[in-house]
Amino acid sequence: MPRVLIILFCIALVIYALIDCANADKQYFSARVPKIAWLALIVLLPLLGAVLWLLFKYKEVLRSNKPLTSPDLNRSFNFPRQSGKNSAPVAPDDDPEFLSRLEAQNRRRAYEQRKAEENEQNNPQNSAKPTEKKKAKDDKGEPESKGLYG
């Protein structure tokens, strides 16, 4: 059983190195060895070629004396960089920009309602028409509703 696991590990390592080399950028081809030569080395000398590919590809990780931080690992292992914002969609209740716009709209609406009420109190003659408009009913006889956010 241990022999089978060792053989499966070697096969998986060779397959990983082959796919990784085929998808790698030019920056990882050290010693001016072209991609086709690395692929041939991995195929012709499976275990040695795969180990050499991984050593040369991650040589900056192996050489550095400083402790590795997350940005170093992301750069070394070719993880996509994330800018200040996530590229993935964010739910509206988790999006701070959306929440701030919603809060600003609610404040503006409340301010306009307060101003309209102040105008009604100051000018009772002109306020009769808008109050009748507010009490308008829809076809079913129920007061008109604008929904949750107006």
Side-chain angles (χ1 to χ4, degrees):
M1 185 65 178
R3 290 180 187 169
V4 174
L5 290 177
I6 291 172
I7 292 171
L8 287 176
F9 175 76
C10 291
I11 292 171
L13 180 69
V14 170
I15 291 173
Y16 172 77
L18 195 62
I19 293 172
D20 191 38
C21 181
N23 291 333
D25 294 335
K26 287 184 179 183
Q27 69 183 8
Y28 294 113
F29 298 108
S30 61
R32 297 187 180 140
V33 178
K35 183 187 280 193
I36 194 74
W38 275 111
L39 291 171
L41 183 67
I42 294 170
V43 170
L44 295 176
L45 301 171
L47 194 57
L48 181 64
V51 170
L52 284 175
W53 166 251
L54 293 174
L55 287 176
F56 277 107
K57 181 176 180 188
Y58 300 119
K59 66 183 175 193
E60 67 184 42
V61 174
L62 299 173
R63 258 194 235 158
S64 68
N65 292 331
K66 65 178 184 170
L68 292 175
T69 59
S70 181
D72 292 334
L73 289 174
N74 287 344
R75 185 176 52 255
S76 298
F77 291 107
N78 202 20
F79 290 135
R81 291 187 179 189
Q82 292 183 353
S83 60
K85 291 184 179 181
N86 287 339
S87 59
V90 178
D93 57 342
D94 292 336
D95 187 5
E97 290 177 20
F98 173 78
L99 293 174
S100 64
R101 282 193 313 252
L102 186 62
E103 182 64 29
Q105 287 175 352
N106 287 342
R107 275 191 243 134
R108 191 177 321 117
R109 190 173 295 125
Y111 174 76
E112 290 171 357
Q113 286 176 351
R114 276 196 311 269
K115 283 295 185 182
E117 289 173 3
E118 288 176 7
N119 286 341
E120 287 177 13
Q121 291 175 356
N122 293 341
N123 300 327
Q125 299 166 356
N126 296 336
S127 65
K129 292 179 183 175
T131 52
E132 290 174 9
K133 210 179 213 182
K134 286 182 183 177
K135 293 181 182 178
K137 297 185 178 189
D138 63 1
D139 297 337
K140 296 178 183 176
E142 298 176 6
E144 221 177 293
S145 166
K146 291 186 178 181
L148 184 61
Y149 297 110

